[in-house]
C-alpha cells in the first residue's frame, strides 16, 4: 500500500477553521448562549406546523428551484423572480458568490475584523483576501477599501451592520464608495442583520441594488426570522449574477422543511418583526447600561454588542461564563455578545459590571 495521501488542493492549507459560538453547557447551572447572534425566541406555532408538515415527505427531494419561496420573496421585495437565488444560509450563498466570481489570481476585498466566514470561503475559492482594517471607531474604512481595489479585484464585501462590531455604513458614504467601484467588480451588501437597523440613514440594500448591476444583496432567515437551524438564505442581484448563483448552488441544498418554514415566516412577518422590536429595546437597555458602567461600546444596529477588550478578552469571556452566559471571544481583540432573553442580558450586565470594577 502506498504511503502517499490523495492530492488535495494547496489552497486548503491553512484555511482558518470556522469557530461556531459555543453552546451553553447542559446539565450544569443555568446558562445562556449569547455567542452566535441567534434569535432567542422559539419558532412560532404556525411556522412550526408548516415545517412539521413538510417533514412528512422528507423521503422526497425538495423543490430544487425553491419556487414557492422565490415567488413569495419576489412579491415581498418587489423584485423579479429572476433576480433571486437561494442557498444553505446566507453563508452558503456567499460561497456561491465566490465560486461565481473569483479563483486563483483574483482578489476579494473586505473589512476586517468582519464576518469570519469571509477569509474561509475566499481562501477555499483560491482567491486572495485583501483585508482592510476597520477605522478606530470600528466602522468600515470605505476610502481605504476603494483604494485597495486593483485590476484583480473581483468581489467586495460590505457587511452592514458589521459582524462583530454592530457598526453601520450610511447612505451617502455607501453611494460615494459604490461610485468609485469599477462596474465589473461585484459589491456584496451582506445584510444578515438588516431587520435590527433603526438608524434611518442606513440604506436598504434592495433600494441600492436596483439601478446598480454590480451590487448584490445578501439576506438570511437565520436571525430576525429565527430559522438558523434550517439553513436558508438568499441573494437579490441582477440577472447575470443571480443566474450564476443558481448555477453554483448545491443542488437541492435548501430542504423542503426550510422552504416551507421560510414561507410561513414571511407570512408571519408582523409577529416576527414585533419580536425583533423587543430585541431592539433590549439592545438599547444593554448598550445604555454598559455605557453607564464606563465601557466604550460602538453604536450597534445589530442584535449584538462589541467590547474591544484586547488582552483581557479571554478573561472577560471566562467571567461571563462563570456568571451563566456564554459569549463569543475573539482572542486578543474583543468579545461579541448577542442580545438575548432579558434574564440572559441581566446576567451578562452583572458580569460586565463586576469585571469593570476589577479593572
Ligand atoms: C454578517 C453575516 N453574514 C452572514 C451570516 C450567515 O448566516 P446564515 O448562513 O445563517 O444565513 C452571518 C452569521 O452569523 C453573519 O453574521
Amino acid at each position: 500500500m502506498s504511503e502517499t495521501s490523495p492530492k488535495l488542493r494547496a489552497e486548503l492549507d491553512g484555511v482558518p477553521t470556522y469557530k461556531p459560538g459555543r453552546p451553553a453547557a447542559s446539565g450544569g447551572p443555568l446558562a445562556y448562549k449569547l455567542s452566535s447572534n441567534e434569535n432567542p425566541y422559539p419558532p412560532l406555532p404556525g411556522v412550526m406546523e408548516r415545517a412539521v408538515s413538510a417533514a412528512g415527505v422528507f423521503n422526497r427531494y425538495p423543490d430544487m428551484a425553491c419556487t414557492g419561496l422565490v415567488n413569495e420573496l419576489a412579491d415581498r421585495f418587489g423584485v423579479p423572480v429572476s433576480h433571486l437565488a437561494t442557498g444553505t444560509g446566507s453563508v452558503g450563498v456567499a460561497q456561491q458568490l465566490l465560486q461565481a466570481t473569483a479563483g486563483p489570481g483574483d482578489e476579494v476585498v473586505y473589512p476586517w475584523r468582519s464576518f469570519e466566514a469571509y477569509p474561509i470561503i475566499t481562501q477555499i475559492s483560491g482567491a486572495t483576501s485583501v483585508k482592510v482594517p476597520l477605522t478606530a471607531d470600528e466602522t468600515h474604512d470605505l476610502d481605504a477599501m476603494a483604494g485597495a481595489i486593483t485590476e484583480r479585484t473581483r468581489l467586495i464585501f460590505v457587511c452592514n451592520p458589521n459582524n462583530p462590531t454592530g457598526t453601520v455604513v450610511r447612505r451617502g458614504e455607501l453611494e460615494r464608495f459604490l461610485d468609485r467601484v469599477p462596474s465589473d467588480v461585484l459589491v456584496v451588501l451582506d445584510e444578515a442583520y438588516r431587520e435590527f437597523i433603526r438608524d434611518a440613514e442606513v440604506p436598504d440594500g434592495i433600494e441600492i441594488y436596483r439601478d446598480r448591476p454590480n451590487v448584490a444583496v445578501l439576506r438570511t432567515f437565520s436571525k430576525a426570522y429565527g430559522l438558523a437551524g434550517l439553513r436558508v438564505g438568499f441573494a437579490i442581484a441582477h440577472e447575470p449574477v443571480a443566474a450564476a448563483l443558481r448555477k453554483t448552488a448545491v443542488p437541492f441544498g435548501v430542504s423542503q422543511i426550510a422552504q416551507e418554514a421560510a414561507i410561513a415566516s414571511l407570512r408571519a412577518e408582523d409577529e416576527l418583526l414585533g419580536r425583533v422590536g423587543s430585541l431592539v429595546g433590549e439592545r438599547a437597555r444593554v448598550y445604555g447600561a454598559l455605557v453607564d458602567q464606563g465601557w466604550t461600546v460602538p453604536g450597534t444596529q445589530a442584535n449584538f454588542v462589541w467590547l474591544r477588550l484586547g488582552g483581557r478578552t479571554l478573561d472577560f469571556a471566562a467571567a461571563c461564563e462563570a456568571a451563566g452566559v456564554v459569549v463569543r471571544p475573539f482572542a486578543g481583540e474583543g468579545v461579541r455578545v448577542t442580545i438575548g432573553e432579558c434574564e440572559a442580558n441581566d446576567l451578562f450586565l452583572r458580569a460586565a459590571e463586576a469585571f469593570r470594577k476589577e479593572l
Side-chain angles (χ1 to χ4, degrees):
M1 227 173 49
S2 150
E3 292 294 305
T4 328
S5 73
K7 283 200 172 74
L8 301 174
R9 288 171 55 230
E11 286 90 352
L12 299 188
D13 291 342
V15 169
T17 316
Y18 190 105
K19 286 203 190 78
R22 290 210 7 251
S26 59
L30 187 63
Y32 291 95
K33 183 181 179 205
L34 300 182
S35 54
S36 292
N37 298 343
E38 293 155 337
N39 191 319
Y41 291 96
L44 286 177
V47 174
M48 181 71 116
E49 229 165 72
R50 191 150 174 167
V52 167
S53 132
V57 287
F58 67 38
N59 53 312
R60 305 287 177 194
Y61 285 103
D63 171 2
M64 195 169 102
C66 297
T67 316
L69 174 56
V70 160
N71 285 333
E72 200 92 10
L73 287 168
D75 259 10
R76 165 70 181 78
F77 293 109
V79 300
V81 163
S82 62
H83 285 202
L84 280 154
T86 52
T88 55
S90 57
V91 72
V93 187
Q95 189 150 27
Q96 289 158 234
L97 281 161
L98 257 309
Q99 277 190 291
T101 55
D106 298 330
E107 292 175 350
V108 177
V109 175
Y110 52 86
W112 198 249
R113 174 162 291 272
S114 188
F115 180 36
E116 70 174 310
Y118 298 156
I120 299 172
I121 59 179
T122 300
Q123 194 168 333
I124 291 172
S125 77
T128 303
S129 279
V130 178
K131 296 178 174 177
V132 178
L134 298 175
T135 61
D137 58 1
E138 312 277 11
T139 58
H140 285 48
D141 189 340
L142 291 176
D143 272 341
M145 285 175 66
I149 298 171
T150 70
E151 55 191 34
R152 291 170 177 238
T153 309
R154 293 289 174 275
L155 186 148
I156 303 172
F157 282 109
V158 172
C159 190
N160 203 21
N162 188 48
N163 175 5
T165 57
T167 50
V168 286
V169 171
R170 297 195 171 82
R171 188 171 286 107
E173 53 183 340
L174 182 61
E175 300 264 12
R176 281 191 297 281
F177 170 74
L178 292 172
D179 288 342
R180 290 175 69 183
V181 177
S183 58
D184 60 354
V185 174
L186 182 66
V187 180
V188 177
L189 305 178
D190 183 344
E191 298 187 333
Y193 304 96
R194 167 74 206 164
E195 297 81 3
F196 296 92
I197 294 175
R198 293 295 179 271
D199 179 339
E201 284 303 303
V202 180
D204 180 336
I206 296 171
E207 296 316 315
I208 301 274
Y209 111 99
R210 289 188 195 276
D211 54 3
R212 292 188 186 263
N214 68 329
V215 170
V217 182
L218 260 190
R219 296 277 181 98
T220 182
F221 282 96
S222 296
K223 310 294 180 182
Y225 295 88
L227 304 184
L230 288 179
R231 315 306 304 128
V232 51
F234 61 97
I236 296 180
H238 288 264
E239 194 147 349
V241 175
L245 294 179
R246 291 191 288 270
K247 283 185 197 167
T248 50
V250 173
F252 306 109
V254 182
S255 74
Q256 202 63 42
I257 302 175
Q259 293 182 37
E260 299 300 330
I263 292 170
S265 300
L266 285 170
R267 294 185 185 166
E269 209 170 38
D270 287 350
E271 203 168 341
L272 288 168
L273 295 183
R275 291 173 160 191
V276 168
S278 305
L279 290 169
V280 167
E282 274 296 283
R283 173 177 81 195
R285 182 174 78 87
V286 169
Y287 178 86
L290 288 170
V291 170
D292 287 347
Q293 288 173 17
W295 295 97
T296 305
V297 197
T300 174
Q301 291 289 313
N303 64 340
F304 49 84
V305 290
W306 171 247
L307 296 176
R308 189 167 279 283
L309 282 137
R312 296 180 311 242
T313 294
L314 296 182
D315 289 344
F316 182 84
C320 289
E321 194 157 340
V325 281
V326 182
V327 298
R328 174 69 171 92
F330 295 85
E333 293 179 63
V335 170
R336 187 192 68 201
V337 187
T338 306
I339 303 297
E341 308 78 339
C342 298
E343 317 82 71
N345 302 333
D346 284 341
L347 286 178
F348 162 63
L349 286 173
R350 246 177 274 146
E353 186 171 31
F355 195 89
R356 184 88 209 158
K357 285 189 179 139
E358 299 284 302
L359 290 181

